[in-house]
Amino acid sequence: MTEQTPDATADATVTDDAAATDAATDTGTDAATDTPDAAVRRLQITDLALVVLVGTSGAGKSTFARTHFAPTQVISSDFCRGLVSDDENDQSASAEAFELLHHIVGKRLAAGRLTVVDATNVQQAARKQLIELARQHDVLPVAIVLDVPPGLCAERNRQRPDRDFGAHVIPRQHRELRRSLRGLEREGFRRVHHLRGPAEVESARIVLERRWNDLRERTGPFDIVGDVHGCRAELETLLGELGYALVRDELGRPVDALPPSGRTAVFVGDLVDRGPDTPGVLRLVMGMVAAGHALCVPGNHENKLGRALSGRQVTVSHGLQESLDQLAAEPPEFVAEVRAFIRDLVSHYLLDGGRLVVCHAGLPERYHGRTSGRVRSHALYGDTTGETDEYGLPVRYPWAEEYRGKALVVYGHTPVPVPSFLNNTVCLDTGAVFGGSLTALRYPERELVSVPAEREWYAPVRRVAADAPGARDGRPLDLADVAGRRVVETAQHGRIAVREENAAAALEVMSRFALDPRLLSWLPPTMAPVPTSKREGYLEHPEEAFAAYRADGVAQVVCQEKHMGSRAVLLVGRDEGAVARRFGPAGPGAIWTRTGRAFLADRELTAALLDRVRAAAEAAGLFAELETDWLLLDAELLPWSLKAVELLRRQYAAVGAAAGAVLPEVVAALRLAGGRGVPELAELTGRQQRREVDAEAFGAAYRRYCWPTEGLSGVRLAPFQVLAAERANLAVRPHGEHLAWIDRLVAADLAAHPAEPLLRETGRMLVDTGDEESVRAATAWWEELTGAGGEGMVVKPLASLVRGRAGEGRPGGLVQPGLKVRGREYLRIIYGPEYTEHLPALRSRSLGHKRSLALREYALGLEALDRLAAGEPLWRVHEPVFAVLALESEPVDPRL
């Protein structure tokens, strides 16, 4: 059986010098855990390890594995032999079987799974390959030796008819086992558990230890502090800014800091060297850690200082002499405490369910939660390109530019003038000791707090470069982020798959036609049509929308006027630099289409339109109310001809012109023939007359949405949703709030430009789906809108984000965010002038795929806005945005 304990194995110790490129070595062995115990043998094993069972055939390894580990954790050589040969005892298949075993073990270790190898493993060559696998994946190799007398092993094998071994096999394996026992730790096993005899094997109990770096249950909130480097005064000031109350000893020295309720400080290392008061910083941080008010990881400077204090030979450079001189004035007892404190520091911490990683020099995702000298070395020193700069210092490899992990990595080590988020990483070393500032990150708020240095305490070898890691923009998209079949995790709709061919089509659009990808934070989802109406003369009718929402348990909906324009997304900055500060590109913002293309080719017209919207938002108080310097709006830009003029000329106008030129003459000729007494032509004449009327109605329908414009004159914008602001996904707010914001925008624009306002109100009506009178009133309003030439309306749940009724023990799924109900005359544009003649056939149209597509794109849009609000890296925001564009390539009737 397996027992869990919060204890953990010690992190590996780096034995290199201060240079980042030197090697790191593993240390640590099984200690008191392997002493004989007459009752129970507790075998301590790290919860992420490669456990290698060692013993002769018949020693009971498979029984031991079944008893103490889950079946999925155990990889047996016999099982692999059976997979490749259908016979677990076919020794001729051993080479292929072990190749398969090593492949499976590697996959499990890469996934972070405890793995047990059930094979004899009595030969060093066999164990060497397994130890190498553990090192490749930065997990601890552990050996459990089942040392059972060879006679008992031979007797057990005789009782198994499938084990027809020769008499020489067991003695040979036993001799190999005896030769191996003393060298297992030298081979690289971090722990060796030696079970002597069947009694110890049966009394053994596995105790799973958590890794010391695994603090995922600590959810914060946290205040993560960058490199201090002996700047005690600045640290005291910063802690005060963060709300911590200093605790001082009888000499007035700070020895602890009481945090605000529920918060914990976390230090990224490099507390020491260069600055004026390394002992004071250590005394304060050590006190906070001892009191449970803080966590701390080591920096490369702590590692070097610790080795120096332990009497090991190190190169005294990079400010180490200052620390040694200052500590020489301290009592020996304090220096011993410092030495022990540094020795016990863990390379990095996983926090908040694995969503946060804190280390000193940064850590790629493959190292998160792993324990090896290589991991510790990277956590302390980072990685280098192998080159040196003009100052003789190593050139850091920009690992953060390639980082694609889900966890936020907070680190220091490389000074930057201003901290910034790069691909879900942030560097907090802002060069306090060099006269810069001392910075902390409030987590999960992602708020950066800095205090200036009191002076330059130490002259830097090289200046703090503006292009240091963390101050550069990461690549917004990489081919690996979008190529092939993709699966996007969404909070509202689970996993959404994107086909490889659709991803390729989206990549073509994104790379050739889209605007600057740094601005492209959201794309409008497609909208599902109302269920098909059975009412005479109608293909779509409001009663079906109300019935659909009523069936989903939605009591209140809002009906919004549907403007016949083109869908437009607007990113509007409060001032000239607002968009650049948040998104990168300079300019007033952007306007884009459903496919991410710039809406208007005329940049001056784009800037003028955005300026009008910005002025209205400022006058309406939206920037101040939402505490933001930018807004993301969903809108319709009118007239339709502003964007679709070529479509109108080539398709709609051509059809209308052809019908207008031909049908009147056809009808006139038929009437003339009928007047000459040809009665058989009466039916044909009537049909052509109806076609003429339908053609005239078709032309009238599309001409309502076309008018000339010059500059902003004639242009109208009908916003209907405020999607996002700084740190806020507003799309999940009730529609009532959005309409109130929009009304204020429209009113502000009208007040400023009464002669020709740009912004246009969106008519609306609230409906109770269970109230017949309310439903009748909304239906009458729709009939009035469409009768006057309007396109129709969109019916939406008033609460915006809604889930339907649960069924059969399952939670309800997402309800359609909107159903469009288009008018009879508008549908002529969509289905053709004579569509009313074909209603029976059109009523059989399939809506299932379109409805599914609408829900998936809606969920992806919400996911993009969630990630944008959380300040996630641009590639993470682009992942769902790109998926929306890819889904638009799915085959679906474009008329729906």
Side-chain angles (χ1 to χ4, degrees):
M1 57 191 302
T2 301
E3 175 182 273
Q4 297 264 2
T5 175
D7 297 334
T9 56
D11 211 358
T13 303
V14 172
T15 59
D16 54 343
D17 204 332
T21 54
D22 288 351
T25 60
D26 298 349
T27 67
T29 60
D30 182 14
T33 60
D34 204 32
T35 56
D37 187 329
V40 176
R41 288 294 310 278
R42 290 179 172 82
L43 312 183
Q44 293 180 326
I45 295 175
T46 309
D47 58 1
L48 175 55
L50 175 60
V51 180
V52 178
L53 302 182
V54 182
T56 60
S57 177
K61 298 182 299 300
S62 297
T63 300
F64 184 89
R66 284 194 301 270
T67 302
H68 298 285
F69 299 99
T72 54
Q73 294 174 327
V74 180
I75 312 300
S76 162
S77 60
D78 287 346
F79 178 72
C80 291
R81 197 177 287 112
L83 285 178
V84 300
S85 71
D86 292 331
D87 182 357
E88 293 188 354
N89 295 300
D90 183 359
Q91 299 301 313
S92 67
S94 291
E96 292 82 1
F98 277 96
E99 183 179 349
L100 175 61
L101 182 145
H102 294 148
H103 177 76
I104 296 173
V105 169
K107 291 297 184 183
R108 286 188 57 83
L109 296 181
R113 305 296 182 186
L114 175 69
T115 303
V116 181
V117 176
D118 176 13
T120 57
N121 295 313
V122 293
Q123 296 178 335
Q124 181 179 0
R127 297 189 297 268
K128 181 179 180 180
Q129 295 183 65
L130 296 173
I131 292 172
E132 182 59 32
L133 273 173
R135 286 175 173 165
Q136 286 176 14
H137 297 286
D138 301 288
V139 301
L140 301 179
V142 176
I144 300 179
V145 181
L146 279 67
D147 190 0
V148 177
L152 178 58
C153 295
E155 177 60 30
R156 288 174 176 174
N157 282 326
R158 281 194 293 271
Q159 295 174 9
R160 294 183 57 180
D162 59 334
R163 294 293 177 94
D164 187 17
F165 296 148
H168 66 287
V169 172
I170 299 300
R172 175 176 56 78
Q173 290 181 348
H174 189 69
R175 287 193 300 273
E176 291 172 333
L177 173 65
R178 305 310 301 175
R179 284 195 296 267
S180 300
L181 286 177
R182 293 189 178 184
L184 291 175
E185 290 181 1
R186 289 195 301 272
E187 291 176 18
F189 285 103
R190 294 292 297 276
R191 280 186 174 167
V192 177
H193 299 289
H194 187 182
L195 302 178
R196 300 171 177 85
E200 286 194 5
V201 172
E202 291 182 9
S203 69
R205 185 177 183 181
I206 301 296
V207 179
L208 287 184
E209 303 173 322
R210 284 176 48 190
R211 291 153 282 163
W212 282 4
N213 56 36
D214 185 0
L215 297 182
R216 286 175 290 182
E217 79 285 356
R218 300 280 294 267
T219 59
F222 300 107
D223 299 305
I224 308 168
V225 180
D227 300 38
V228 181
H229 280 300
C231 299
R232 177 189 52 78
E234 287 85 346
L235 177 58
E236 290 185 28
T237 303
L238 179 62
L239 290 173
E241 288 288 325
L242 295 170
Y244 289 71
L246 292 174
V247 177
R248 300 182 183 274
D249 63 10
E250 63 278 4
L251 299 178
R253 300 174 300 186
V255 294
D256 191 7
L258 304 178
S261 179
R263 302 192 73 88
T264 301
V266 187
F267 294 89
V268 304
D270 277 6
L271 305 171
V272 305
D273 293 353
R274 295 174 173 156
D277 193 358
T278 284
V281 171
L282 286 169
R283 186 176 290 107
L284 173 54
V285 174
M286 288 164 55
M288 293 178 69
V289 172
H293 299 149
L295 300 168
C296 184
V297 298
N300 56 301
H301 285 263
E302 277 82 38
N303 185 60
K304 192 173 183 180
L305 175 61
R307 297 201 312 278
L309 294 178
S310 298
R312 298 172 62 181
Q313 185 174 359
V314 298
T315 302
V316 179
S317 60
H318 302 298
L320 176 60
Q321 188 63 57
E322 283 79 358
S323 292
L324 294 174
D325 292 344
Q326 293 165 16
L327 287 169
E330 297 290 331
E333 297 81 5
F334 177 74
V335 176
E337 290 175 5
V338 169
R339 184 168 59 248
F341 173 73
I342 293 174
R343 181 193 62 216
D344 293 339
L345 292 177
V346 179
S347 66
H348 69 285
Y349 282 121
L350 272 71
L351 300 162
D352 192 20
R355 288 179 287 272
L356 174 65
V357 170
V358 178
C359 55
H360 177 63
L363 208 60
E365 187 176 32
R366 66 182 181 275
Y367 291 157
H368 295 179
R370 304 295 172 126
T371 49
S372 72
R374 175 169 57 181
V375 172
R376 186 174 177 89
S377 180
H378 198 293
L380 286 173
Y381 299 110
D383 200 359
T384 67
T385 64
E387 303 169 300
T388 56
D389 61 15
E390 65 270 27
Y391 303 100
L393 298 175
V395 177
R396 306 296 178 190
Y397 184 80
W399 67 274
E401 292 185 7
E402 299 177 354
Y403 181 72
R404 291 295 187 265
K406 294 182 180 179
L408 170 65
V409 179
V410 184
Y411 66 106
H413 187 56
T414 304
V416 295
V418 178
S420 61
F421 289 89
L422 172 63
N423 289 336
N424 217 20
T425 74
V426 61
C427 177
L428 297 183
D429 184 359
T430 46
V433 76
F434 302 131
S437 61
L438 184 61
T439 298
L441 171 72
R442 293 184 187 270
Y443 176 92
E445 300 89 343
R446 289 187 177 234
E447 177 188 350
L448 293 163
V449 180
S450 296
V451 297
E454 293 188 353
R455 49 165 285 190
E456 180 184 274
W457 298 104
Y458 193 91
V461 175
R462 62 182 173 197
R463 67 182 182 85
V464 178
D467 63 347
R472 291 192 290 257
D473 288 331
R475 293 189 298 254
L477 279 178
D478 188 276
L479 184 60
D481 296 328
V482 296
R485 184 179 184 273
R486 311 293 301 173
V487 176
V488 182
E489 294 278 356
T490 67
Q492 301 299 338
H493 204 57
R495 294 161 60 87
I496 297 177
V498 176
R499 297 174 183 170
E500 183 174 2
E501 58 270 26
N502 293 346
L507 183 60
E508 172 78 3
V509 173
M510 186 79 81
S511 60
R512 292 186 59 190
F513 305 114
L515 77 166
D516 191 315
R518 290 173 293 175
L519 300 169
L520 202 60
S521 52
W522 186 80
L523 286 178
T526 192
M527 185 171 293
V530 67
T532 302
S533 175
K534 298 180 177 62
R535 182 182 286 254
E536 181 64 30
Y538 289 88
L539 185 62
E540 297 180 2
H541 194 272
E543 63 188 2
E544 303 297 338
F546 301 136
Y549 281 125
R550 188 164 54 245
D552 281 327
V554 180
Q556 288 190 305
V557 297
V558 58
C559 301
Q560 294 183 6
E561 175 188 2
K562 196 171 191 308
H563 302 280
M564 183 47 191
S566 300
R567 195 80 171 265
V569 183
L570 288 81
L571 176 62
V572 184
R574 188 175 191 176
D575 55 55
E576 191 168 333
V579 171
R581 288 193 299 271
R582 178 61 178 83
F583 296 92
I591 309 173
W592 61 88
T593 68
R594 292 191 70 248
T595 56
R597 307 174 192 227
F599 196 104
L600 301 169
D602 188 333
R603 293 187 178 182
E604 291 185 2
L605 180 58
T606 299
L609 196 154
L610 289 170
D611 188 61
R612 283 281 292 271
V613 177
R614 178 206 59 76
E618 188 67 74
L622 263 62
F623 289 118
E625 178 182 329
L626 298 173
E627 299 179 339
T628 184
D629 286 338
W630 56 271
L631 292 170
L632 194 65
L633 303 174
D634 195 4
E636 287 277 331
L637 194 54
L638 295 82
W640 191 25
S641 53
L642 188 65
K643 172 173 157 298
V645 63
E646 288 303 314
L647 175 68
L648 286 165
R649 287 173 180 164
R650 291 196 309 267
Q651 183 170 323
Y652 296 105
V655 171
V662 173
L663 287 175
E665 292 188 11
V666 170
V667 171
L670 289 172
R671 284 174 178 168
L672 182 60
R676 294 175 179 174
V678 186
E680 295 83 358
L681 296 178
E683 182 181 349
L684 178 59
T685 302
R687 187 163 66 249
Q688 296 304 317
Q689 286 176 331
R690 290 193 299 273
R691 293 186 68 194
E692 183 181 16
V693 172
D694 288 342
E696 291 175 355
F698 173 79
Y702 77 76
R703 280 193 291 270
R704 292 189 183 99
Y705 310 114
C706 310
W707 59 80
T709 63
E710 184 176 351
L712 280 184
S713 179
V715 176
R716 297 292 181 268
L717 181 74
F720 51 83
Q721 196 169 23
V722 184
L723 295 165
E726 187 64 54
R727 297 186 298 275
N729 174 4
L730 303 174
V732 296
R733 300 274 191 94
H735 282 294
E737 292 186 37
H738 290 275
L739 292 171
W741 288 329
I742 299 305
D743 287 346
R744 286 161 54 187
L745 280 175
V746 173
D749 183 62
L750 178 62
H753 304 276
E756 189 174 10
L758 169 69
L759 300 185
R760 178 170 168 176
E761 184 185 46
T762 294
R764 82 293 304 259
M765 177 175 284
L766 298 180
V767 180
D768 183 340
T769 60
D771 184 341
E772 292 185 7
E773 184 59 35
S774 179
V775 168
R776 276 196 298 270
T779 301
W781 181 65
W782 175 80
E783 290 172 344
E784 181 182 350
L785 277 177
T786 56
E791 178 181 343
M793 69 183 183
V794 179
V795 184
K796 304 176 180 178
L798 183 60
S800 189
L801 178 62
V802 176
R803 293 193 172 275
R805 290 172 175 152
E808 299 180 3
R810 296 188 302 269
L814 273 181
V815 167
Q816 288 289 347
L819 293 173
K820 56 185 178 183
V821 190
R822 296 167 290 185
R824 293 184 66 195
E825 294 308 310
Y826 173 77
L827 286 173
R828 292 189 191 279
I829 304 174
I830 305 301
Y831 287 101
E834 304 164 43
Y835 88 99
T836 52
E837 301 292 326
H838 309 290
L839 283 179
L842 289 174
R843 287 197 174 103
S844 65
R845 59 185 185 161
S846 176
L847 304 181
H849 191 184
K850 180 74 169 183
R851 292 171 63 84
S852 168
L853 198 62
L855 281 178
R856 284 179 282 155
E857 291 187 12
Y858 173 59
L860 288 166
L862 292 179
E863 185 67 23
L865 295 176
D866 279 342
R867 296 180 183 186
L868 180 68
E872 294 198 32
L874 192 54
W875 74 268
R876 284 272 296 162
V877 178
H878 274 172
E879 186 182 36
V881 172
F882 187 87
V884 170
L885 188 59
L887 290 181
E888 283 296 295
S889 299
E890 288 198 6
V892 65
D893 188 346
R895 301 173 299 177
L896 294 178

